[in-house]
Amino acid sequence: MDAAGAQVADECAQYAGQYQNGFITTQGGNLLCSKIIHLITNNQVKSQVSKVLHECERKMYRSVAFPAIGTGQAGQSSAKVADEMLDAIVEFTRQKSVQHLQTIKIVIFQTNMLRDFYESMKKREDTDSSTTESWLSMFKSFFWGRKQSSEKKKFMILEKKVNLITFQICGESQEKVDATESWIKNLILKELFETTISDEAIESFDETQIKILEDLPERKRVTIRFLNNLSPPQIKISGISRDVYAVSLEVQNMIQQIKSTEEQQSKAELLYNLVEWRYPGSNDSFVAFDKLTNMQLEYAKMSKKLYLNVEIKKKNYKVDLNTLKATDDQGKTINLQRVMKDEGK
């Protein structure tokens, strides 16, 4: 409440006693969000999370972030809270009527709680391994933001339009014509090959990767089938064997890049919940670095590096990791902050 500011406190006082469904909604105040939903304390965590999710969908909000509800002053166990929160999210995501809410995050500051939430997610993976979409994939998409899929993306065939070649075979007899036809077909088949690549990361292909796939048949003699309606999604590549091999390598590289990016984002998100690097803003305030830069700064300090180059407001700075001072190309120096986030906040 202190971070949100006096305006939010005044709104809460104004709406006190007028709440419905166990919560009230105020403006975001000084926090980096448009609205704050304040829950009236009770021990029904699953019910509270469910009500908030449906309220966000009703108001057409696109994202929502939860703390680990009830693990503070209410004193509930983090394992119980993890199960109830994830139960509510699972039931919500199963509803076909969900259209607006795209990103659901649970922000955990206490590192000891991470295992309880992970075990709760893993338990669902083990008990529902036969479902078409794994629980871990579902939670990854909702915690990091899911992409809208289109009907075109579910099944596409990408191929280069080529002119047909016609063979006219003349011979002394039908037997020799048939033999020649069989020989030509065998030559063609020896040069053809098909391979299938299956990976969950294919579902994360964006317009950039799709454009690359669309361009590949123009450069290589292949046909690419993009099957995103399967689990896991598949890309089938067929054509001249050497071109199929080259294209499959390009696809594997794209998949690896997506996995590396997602892993970096995941690490940056977890680290951001523990420590926050900031640079000076306006009116004596400080602004948090983006999460990837935040991770680079913290890793550099943990590795006992002396300096790291970063970009602040589109200007290059050299950061002294001992003094937390950053100097630009003109010699101007600013002070940075490194703030350890308190447990329980």
Side-chain angles (χ1 to χ4, degrees):
M1 186 67 74
D2 292 339
Q7 177 188 355
V8 174
D10 291 342
E11 278 194 82
C12 287
Q14 177 185 347
Y15 296 136
Q18 302 178 27
Y19 61 87
Q20 295 179 347
N21 298 322
F23 60 83
I24 60 174
T25 303
T26 68
Q27 299 299 316
N30 296 331
L31 300 182
L32 299 178
C33 60
S34 60
K35 301 288 183 182
I36 303 174
I37 297 177
H38 305 264
L39 295 172
I40 309 304
T41 304
N42 65 42
N43 292 325
Q44 305 300 318
V45 173
K46 180 179 177 181
S47 174
Q48 288 187 311
V49 172
S50 180
K51 287 178 180 179
V52 170
L53 293 174
H54 283 90
E55 175 70 4
C56 290
E57 177 65 17
R58 188 178 72 85
K59 294 286 190 177
M60 296 188 290
Y61 299 152
R62 298 189 64 82
S63 64
V64 62
F66 290 93
I69 296 172
T71 57
Q73 294 181 353
Q76 298 193 56
S77 75
S78 55
K80 174 179 176 291
V81 167
D83 285 341
E84 292 198 26
M85 293 188 73
L86 297 182
D87 282 346
I89 294 173
V90 167
E91 291 179 8
F92 177 79
T93 58
R94 280 177 168 171
Q95 298 176 18
K96 295 182 179 180
S97 60
V98 176
Q99 296 180 353
H100 305 289
L101 188 59
Q102 298 297 313
T103 304
I104 302 171
K105 293 185 180 181
I106 299 178
V107 181
I108 304 169
F109 294 120
Q110 297 90 332
T111 53
N112 59 301
M113 289 188 187
L114 290 174
R115 178 169 294 277
D116 290 326
F117 276 83
Y118 174 78
E119 291 298 331
S120 184
M121 292 169 65
K122 191 68 172 67
K123 182 167 55 180
R124 287 165 172 76
E125 177 81 354
D126 295 337
T127 57
D128 290 88
S129 58
S130 62
T131 57
T132 56
E133 180 180 16
S134 72
W135 288 117
L136 290 182
S137 296
M138 180 184 293
F139 280 110
K140 182 182 76 171
S141 68
F142 266 85
F143 286 163
W144 305 116
R146 67 181 179 184
K147 293 182 174 66
Q148 293 280 8
S149 61
S150 63
E151 292 300 317
K152 290 183 179 179
K153 192 177 177 182
K154 287 182 179 178
F155 182 88
M156 291 193 303
I157 300 178
L158 309 175
E159 58 185 348
K160 181 179 180 180
K161 293 183 178 180
V162 297
N163 295 322
L164 296 178
I165 298 176
T166 302
F167 290 89
Q168 290 184 340
I169 305 171
C170 301
E172 296 177 351
S173 66
Q174 185 64 43
E175 181 181 359
K176 289 186 177 181
V177 170
D178 292 342
T180 302
E181 180 183 2
S182 178
W183 176 74
I184 293 174
K185 286 181 177 179
N186 287 334
L187 285 178
I188 295 173
L189 290 174
K190 284 180 181 179
E191 284 294 317
L192 296 180
F193 183 70
E194 181 176 280
T195 187
T196 301
I197 300 172
S198 301
D199 200 293
E200 291 287 354
I202 293 173
E203 190 174 24
S204 299
F205 276 28
D206 59 18
E207 292 181 0
T208 301
Q209 281 88 31
I210 298 298
K211 183 64 168 62
I212 292 174
L213 290 178
E214 289 174 345
D215 292 340
L216 284 174
E218 296 295 322
R219 298 187 285 112
K220 305 291 185 180
R221 288 165 290 183
V222 296
T223 296
I224 301 174
R225 291 176 173 83
F226 188 87
L227 308 174
N228 204 31
N229 58 334
L230 302 178
S231 182
Q234 294 182 358
I235 292 178
K236 287 189 176 183
I237 308 165
S238 57
I240 303 299
S241 56
R242 58 181 177 272
D243 287 344
V244 170
Y245 176 74
V247 170
S248 66
L249 286 180
E250 290 197 47
V251 172
Q252 293 285 6
N253 287 336
M254 286 191 285
I255 290 173
Q256 188 55 48
Q257 288 174 4
I258 288 173
K259 289 183 175 180
S260 297
T261 299
E262 290 181 347
E263 183 181 2
Q264 287 292 96
Q265 290 174 341
S266 177
K267 289 179 179 178
E269 183 78 23
L270 291 174
L271 189 59
Y272 187 77
N273 293 331
L274 302 175
V275 60
E276 184 176 286
W277 285 74
R278 302 170 179 172
Y279 60 87
S282 58
N283 299 325
D284 296 328
S285 63
F286 278 80
V287 180
F289 282 93
D290 65 84
K291 293 174 184 177
L292 289 178
T293 304
N294 186 79
M295 180 178 68
Q296 293 168 0
L297 285 163
E298 186 62 21
Y299 278 2
K301 185 167 182 62
M302 291 169 61
S303 302
K304 297 183 179 180
K305 291 184 178 181
L306 298 178
Y307 301 98
L308 182 71
N309 294 321
V310 300
E311 185 174 282
I312 303 174
K313 297 179 180 179
K314 299 183 179 180
K315 293 178 64 175
N316 295 321
Y317 281 83
K318 184 177 182 180
V319 179
D320 185 324
L321 295 168
N322 289 323
T323 64
L324 303 190
K325 293 183 180 296
T327 306
D328 66 13
D329 296 336
Q330 285 72 44
K332 181 181 177 181
T333 299
I334 58 175
N335 293 318
L336 304 184
Q337 289 184 347
R338 177 177 178 266
V339 180
M340 300 299 296
K341 295 189 175 180
D342 295 334
E343 292 191 359
K345 273 196 174 182

